[in-house]
Amino acid sequence: MKIGLGYDVHKLVCNRPLILGGVNIPFHKGLLGHSDADVLTHAIMDSLLGASCLGDIGKHFPDQDERYKNISSLKLLSKVSDLIKDNHYIIENIDSTIIAETPKLSPYINYMRENISKTLNISISAINIKATTEEGLGFTGKGEGMAAQSICLLNEINK
């Protein structure tokens, strides 16, 4: 068994879509980044890469590489899934938290779980996503950005 921890943060700006877990969420601001800046999916990727000792998303998808400009993070997650399988691991479960003051994310959580489940080809019951606020504290509480944390459990499969 291997456990991995992931964290990501992006600034909120005007004139960008807000995408979390591959879901386009109606909001007056979106996350700034080289790709679609999906903090949830980025945190999940980093937890998976960390558990399998394969580095982080910056190593595999550098933000200076034009191939990843505005790319869907679900496409990157699919590549991470291939790396996990190629290194003889299976995903047992993923538990993630999105940290954002607004908008309310509960109506979109199951859609996020479905997207991640399909992309990783694992049961939706192996994916938990929560959302919380920071009660007006810090950069997320002031609405300046969003963050996400993720932890996962991998098992090595017999080669």
Side-chain angles (χ1 to χ4, degrees):
M1 266 187 269
K2 294 208 174 188
I3 297 170
L5 180 65
Y7 175 80
D8 195 42
V9 61
H10 284 276
K11 182 178 181 175
L12 278 165
V13 297
C14 294
N15 300 315
R16 287 274 300 189
L18 177 59
I19 299 170
L20 296 169
V23 177
N24 195 335
I25 297 168
F27 195 57
H28 67 281
K29 290 185 177 181
L31 295 167
L32 181 63
H34 185 70
S35 67
D36 63 6
D38 182 339
V39 291
L40 173 63
T41 304
H42 291 185
I44 290 170
M45 286 190 286
D46 266 347
S47 69
L48 293 168
L49 290 167
S52 55
C53 297
L54 293 172
D56 60 23
I57 60 174
K59 173 183 174 183
H60 294 277
F61 315 111
D63 63 6
Q64 303 85 10
D65 192 325
E66 286 301 310
R67 291 179 295 172
Y68 307 121
K69 179 85 173 149
N70 296 317
I71 193 169
S72 165
S73 292
L74 292 179
K75 288 183 181 179
L76 302 179
L77 182 62
S78 179
K79 292 176 188 256
V80 168
S81 179
D82 292 342
L83 285 169
I84 299 299
K85 290 173 189 162
D86 291 347
N87 282 273
H88 310 287
Y89 291 103
I90 57 168
I91 301 166
E92 294 293 341
N93 78 306
I94 296 168
D95 185 28
S96 300
T97 304
I98 304 165
I99 305 154
E101 203 67 20
T102 57
K104 292 294 181 195
L105 299 174
S106 58
Y108 308 100
I109 297 280
N110 279 333
Y111 298 114
M112 294 177 204
R113 291 176 67 222
E114 287 173 9
N115 286 343
I116 300 212
S117 167
K118 288 176 187 171
T119 302
L120 294 173
N121 196 29
I122 62 174
S123 171
I124 196 168
S125 66
I127 301 165
N128 189 52
I129 299 170
K130 306 171 295 295
T132 191
T133 69
E134 290 192 308
E135 304 295 330
L137 300 173
F139 73 92
T140 59
K142 293 175 185 165
E144 297 170 356
M146 291 185 177
Q149 300 174 344
S150 180
I151 192 164
C152 72
L153 177 65
L154 302 184
N155 263 319
E156 195 166 6
I157 52 178
N158 296 329
K159 299 175 188 178

